Amino acid sequence: MTLRMLFDEIRANVQKISGELGYPAVTFDLSEASKPEFGDISCNIGFLLSKHLKKRPSDISESIAKKYQECKKELVSEVRVHPSGYLNFVANYHVLIRNIMHLSAEKNYGQIDLGKNSRVVVEHTSVNPNKALHIGHVRNIIIGDTVARILHKACYDVKVLNYVDDSGLQVADIIVGFRFGGFSIEPPQGQKFDHYCGDVVYVSVTERYDKEPSLAEKRVLVLKELEEGRSDIAKLGDQITKRVLEEQLKTCWRLGASYDCLNFESQIVRSGLWKTVFEKMKSMGIIYLEEGGKNSGCWVIRSETEAEEDKVLVRSNGIATYIAKDIPYASWKLGILEDPFYYKKYATQKNNQTLWETTLDNTGTRHDFTGNMVITVIDSRQSRLQKIITKIISDFKSASKSYVHLGYESVTLSHDTAKTLNLDTGGKSVQMSGRKGIYVNADYVLDILGVKTYEEAKKRNPELGEEQLVRIAEQVAVGALRYTMIRQDLDKMITFDMTESLSLEGDTGPYIQYAYARAVRILEKSGQEPRLDAASFDLLATAYEKELAKTIGKFDIQVEDSAKNLSPKIIARYCYDLAVSFNSFYEHIKVLAAESADTTNARLCLVWSFKETLEKALCLLGIDAPDRM
RNA sequence: GGGCCUGUAGCUCAGCAUGGAUAGAGUGCUGGACUUCUAAUCCAGUGGUCAAGGGAUCGAAGCCCUUCGGGCCCGCCA
């Protein structure tokens, strides 16, 4: 039994009793007690019925409690009524702890079958392949990757896509730099190619457009050739973007993200999907050819309200706009169109997962990367455009298909961090901009964090070898970064501050990882395997032990909650709660020096169960659990 | 002008979907705990008119309305 079964039992019994007492059916709430003296689970049914019955809440709770004593109550040891009116339940810890210990020992503990193996497509990352990833992109990657992991745990068949806009203006800019701006294709010694393209070429070229109109003219030319393909410039573009992409993916993998397929925009453009979608929209009458007004000659989608402007999909010169390019891709993701693509292997990732890429060349193999539900992770500045796409898609789809824009607020740079980039923001935080060079690269942050975590690890573990220290440092650095990107709500802005991000204490990834390492050490030093079947869990009698066991028992509830709400922070908070419970236990309860061998064994089982559960929960966050740190 | 998000302790944030018990963490500050399973830890103290006002309710941080502050979006750019 996990906590969930305790909830279920109470719910069923209260419902039954309430019916037997002739009370009207109400949807009452069961929640975890907010304080220890209120027991484990609280029920608000007294308040809800008090209106109907014109009785005091506590009297109603009292009558239910009285009857509850009589019915079979396997998982509840005590029913109490609080003067406030709450009906409180104390769990039967004898049964509760034993069951939690056994269930948490199972390999798939925490798994919950919400998805019934139905296909969900998650698209994230999707960074223009002309620059290195900065911390704003990191938030996207971590949200997408974490949501994908959580949905997988909730038994969805998850496919992860990364859309590569290799034929857009941003790529054209760096090609202009290489072809006409005098930039060497090779970066200076020691610089990663993506950093070179973004930090040097892209920033300089866009700056020069103002002063050099000839360069700006080349931009249009390059863009056109990129879209058409085949020319020398298009080949150069292909070569450059592939190289940048390769470097970007190294950073993504370093962060622990992985993908199933890379979708190239150039191929979507060349596949002819747009034409099909365009005809479909025309025949369905959801777009209109304007014959007058400011959008004369354009195909537009009309806004639903007066205040909003119509949106142009096809310009009067016949070329589709940016948003129009997204519609065939969105339709493809939902499997609305016939798949024009073949797939070839791009790489094998760290976790042994194959990464495929789209190709129009029929030497590739066929695969299905589409789904009935599609989640697109893009920051909320794109909300308006995403809303239009959602609307169009909903006109296309059959009822069982859905397109979800998972939005999040952007990452800005703190005043102090902006200052290190020679920007005076007058005390305010500032929006990042790749074009203006206002950003902090992800690799840079990881490197700085890595130096700090390395020093800490070395200080604490002087006997460890270099290789092991470096590995721990990297795990902790990634854990720290991933956790800060996921711990708060998606619709809250993150103000990134370099100094603050180096803090590794309190509500942070390393705090949680540290609790794990402590648990591992206890198990190591005990010199014995915890014997689950021989354990007498009644020996786990202190509040610290009960609290820890109870927290372990909540895993599946948290997975369900976060999967249903697409809310990764729920798992982040759960990991933190687990670590807090454990650290408190650790400080107050001796495991190895317990009163008896039986107590030691029971506590070892608890520690082991904690370790296993935390490892699984951290895995959902893509955070490694180090044995030492 | 229209749309989306946001406002809770000095700072960073939980809690709001589904109203109910004395509003919680971290950080900061003050003090305490390492001959002990690793102090990236723990314990105690400090700190709040839940932006403001109104409404419905027995009951509001939460629901409804108004106002104010902050961020973002509104191109035949991507």
Side-chain angles (χ1 to χ4, degrees):
Chain A
M1 172 191 73
T2 64
L3 262 284
R4 169 191 300 283
M5 291 155 90
L6 178 59
F7 275 100
D8 290 347
E9 178 183 296
I10 295 173
R11 183 176 303 282
N13 283 337
V14 170
Q15 226 153 39
K16 195 174 115 231
I17 291 166
S18 169
E20 284 168 9
L21 288 167
Y23 296 158
V26 285
T27 45
F28 55 89
D29 187 47
L30 288 181
S31 59
E32 251 191 275
S34 54
K35 284 183 195 304
E37 65 256 37
F38 300 150
D40 295 299
I41 304 225
S42 300
C43 178
N44 69 345
I45 190 164
F47 298 106
L48 301 177
L49 286 175
S50 118
K51 251 176 248 175
H52 297 94
L53 303 175
K54 306 228 186 312
K55 281 192 193 169
R56 294 214 320 255
S58 55
D59 290 344
I60 295 165
S61 291
E62 198 68 60
S63 60
I64 294 174
K66 202 170 152 230
K67 248 187 156 231
Y68 206 111
Q69 313 287 358
E70 296 159 15
C71 75
K72 196 166 150 243
K73 41 172 187 149
E74 230 171 297
L75 310 173
V76 170
S77 70
E78 205 186 325
V79 187
R80 297 196 295 232
V81 177
H82 189 269
S84 64
Y86 270 105
L87 184 57
N88 291 329
F89 300 86
V90 179
N92 178 353
Y93 277 89
H94 175 74
V95 184
L96 181 70
I97 295 187
R98 194 186 60 213
N99 284 325
I100 289 174
M101 293 300 106
H102 278 97
L103 280 171
S104 63
E106 286 174 15
K107 215 179 167 74
N108 59 0
Y109 180 56
Q111 184 173 303
I112 176 148
D113 194 4
L114 283 181
K116 315 252 183 279
N117 208 34
S118 63
R119 173 66 66 77
V120 174
V121 171
V122 177
E123 183 212 323
H124 66 78
T125 306
S126 305
V127 180
N128 281 309
N130 74 324
K131 57 174 164 290
L133 305 177
H134 62 58
I135 47 166
H137 302 128
V138 173
R139 189 174 194 188
N140 183 297
I141 295 164
I142 303 308
I143 289 170
D145 183 59
T146 308
V147 164
R149 286 164 184 264
I150 290 168
L151 291 175
H152 178 72
K153 186 80 176 175
C155 297
Y156 285 92
D157 172 20
V158 183
K159 293 292 175 196
V160 179
L161 309 177
N162 180 359
Y163 181 73
V164 183
D165 182 0
D166 57 346
S167 58
L169 212 51
Q170 295 205 10
V171 166
D173 290 333
I174 59 168
I175 304 304
V176 167
F178 289 126
R179 199 60 188 260
F180 308 104
F183 286 96
S184 147
I185 297 226
E186 286 311 311
Q189 191 82 36
Q191 191 169 26
K192 260 182 98 196
F193 188 66
D194 54 342
H195 289 206
Y196 171 61
C197 289
D199 300 355
V200 181
V201 183
Y202 182 45
V203 171
S204 325
V205 168
T206 50
E207 212 176 67
R208 273 163 60 182
Y209 283 145
D210 284 342
K211 292 170 242 156
E212 300 174 45
S214 64
L215 210 56
E217 280 166 30
K218 299 289 189 207
R219 186 192 203 196
V220 181
L221 172 91
V222 169
L223 184 62
K224 192 159 165 268
E225 299 212 10
L226 282 180
E227 283 202 7
E228 283 166 4
R230 310 246 172 249
S231 70
D232 278 357
I233 283 184
K235 277 181 194 150
L236 176 68
D238 195 51
Q239 185 195 328
I240 298 287
T241 51
K242 286 273 161 66
R243 210 169 144 187
V244 172
L245 177 64
E246 194 181 321
E247 295 298 326
Q248 287 181 338
L249 283 171
K250 281 183 194 165
T251 309
C252 298
W253 289 330
R254 189 179 177 190
L255 286 164
S258 60
Y259 309 86
D260 290 290
C261 187
L262 302 169
N263 295 64
F264 291 93
E265 183 183 80
S266 60
Q267 291 172 11
I268 290 177
V269 170
R270 288 166 215 163
S271 70
L273 279 180
W274 164 247
K275 212 176 157 214
T276 314
V277 167
F278 188 36
E279 292 307 321
K280 191 175 166 92
M281 288 190 293
K282 277 198 254 184
S283 68
M284 291 177 73
I286 54 183
I287 57 171
Y288 303 89
L289 178 62
E290 294 291 354
E291 283 170 3
K294 64 171 188 168
N295 291 333
S296 183
C298 300
W299 284 91
V300 304
I301 176 150
R302 297 224 170 108
S303 70
E304 290 168 326
T305 61
E306 283 289 316
E308 265 179 26
E309 303 262 318
D310 295 347
K311 190 75 203 168
V312 173
L313 293 187
V314 180
R315 303 177 179 95
S316 50
N317 64 8
I319 296 173
T321 58
Y322 160 75
I323 177 174
K325 287 190 200 167
D326 261 10
I327 299 168
Y329 179 46
S331 310
W332 172 85
K333 285 193 282 191
L334 279 160
I336 291 171
L337 306 172
E338 197 186 328
D339 190 356
F341 298 115
Y342 294 84
Y343 301 88
K344 60 182 186 191
K345 202 167 167 175
Y346 178 87
T348 302
Q349 296 164 98
K350 251 198 283 186
N351 54 2
N352 259 330
Q353 184 186 351
T354 302
L355 174 57
W356 299 88
E357 60 175 313
T358 52
T359 174
L360 290 168
D361 176 355
N362 63 12
T363 57
T365 52
R366 287 291 202 167
H367 286 276
D368 179 13
F369 291 112
T370 66
N372 288 333
M373 174 156 77
V374 167
I375 296 168
T376 304
V377 183
I378 317 184
D379 77 73
S380 345
R381 285 175 297 192
Q382 304 265 13
S383 291
R384 193 181 133 79
L385 296 182
Q386 285 295 312
K387 206 174 129 194
I388 294 171
I389 291 170
T390 308
K391 171 75 176 64
I392 294 172
I393 292 296
S394 76
D395 288 340
F396 283 178
K397 71 174 189 187
S398 63
S400 63
K401 295 181 185 273
S402 63
Y403 183 91
V404 177
H405 168 216
L406 186 60
Y408 59 92
E409 285 293 319
S410 50
V411 180
T412 62
L413 295 182
S414 74
H415 165 69
D416 287 340
T417 299
K419 220 172 185 173
T420 64
L421 304 173
N422 293 322
L423 268 177
D424 186 11
T425 62
K428 287 186 176 176
S429 62
V430 60
Q431 286 280 329
M432 282 187 282
S433 160
R435 196 169 46 81
K436 294 181 196 154
I438 306 170
Y439 54 83
V440 178
N441 279 330
D443 287 319
Y444 174 74
V445 174
L446 282 174
D447 290 345
I448 303 267
L449 267 168
V451 168
K452 172 143 186 199
T453 52
Y454 175 86
E455 281 164 3
E456 290 286 332
K458 188 165 187 172
K459 201 165 70 196
R460 290 153 212 274
N461 303 279
E463 76 285 1
L464 289 184
E466 181 68 13
E467 199 184 315
Q468 210 174 345
L469 286 173
V470 168
R471 208 187 67 233
I472 292 168
E474 181 74 4
Q475 287 178 331
V476 177
V478 169
L481 185 56
R482 285 194 71 127
Y483 191 78
T484 55
M485 288 296 165
I486 214 73
R487 60 177 276 247
Q488 73 207 60
D489 207 86
L490 297 185
D491 43 35
K492 234 147 205 168
M493 213 172 66
I494 292 181
T495 303
F496 181 85
D497 184 87
M498 196 61 217
T499 313
E500 215 171 88
S501 75
L502 287 174
S503 151
L504 309 174
E505 287 161 21
D507 188 3
T508 65
Y511 171 92
I512 298 164
Q513 290 171 310
Y514 183 65
Y516 180 87
R518 281 176 137 185
V520 169
R521 289 292 275 173
I522 293 178
L523 294 165
E524 267 176 26
K525 287 214 167 174
S526 76
Q528 53 176 292
E529 290 291 315
R531 288 165 294 122
L532 206 55
D533 293 324
S536 27
F537 293 113
D538 290 348
L539 294 169
L540 303 176
T542 65
Y544 299 109
E545 291 159 309
K546 287 177 177 174
E547 181 58 33
L548 178 55
K550 209 163 82 171
T551 310
I552 293 168
K554 289 179 206 166
F555 191 22
D556 56 344
I557 299 175
Q558 306 291 326
V559 172
E560 178 175 11
D561 199 7
S562 76
K564 275 187 176 162
N565 295 302
L566 299 178
S567 176
K569 80 171 173 202
I570 289 169
I571 299 299
R573 297 216 69 78
Y574 177 62
C575 288
Y576 179 66
D577 287 346
L578 268 174
V580 167
S581 297
F582 179 79
N583 275 329
S584 193
F585 161 83
Y586 183 95
E587 296 284 340
H588 295 95
I589 306 293
K590 292 289 166 244
V591 176
L592 301 184
E595 310 80 69
S596 70
D598 280 347
T599 308
T600 293
N601 181 54
R603 287 180 184 162
L604 280 174
C605 288
L606 179 61
V607 170
W608 184 80
S609 162
F610 160 76
K611 177 200 152 240
E612 290 290 305
T613 305
L614 181 59
E615 187 173 5
K616 291 182 179 83
L618 280 175
C619 178
L620 295 182
L621 302 183
I623 295 176
D624 282 335
D627 290 353
R628 302 278 300 259
M629 62 184 278

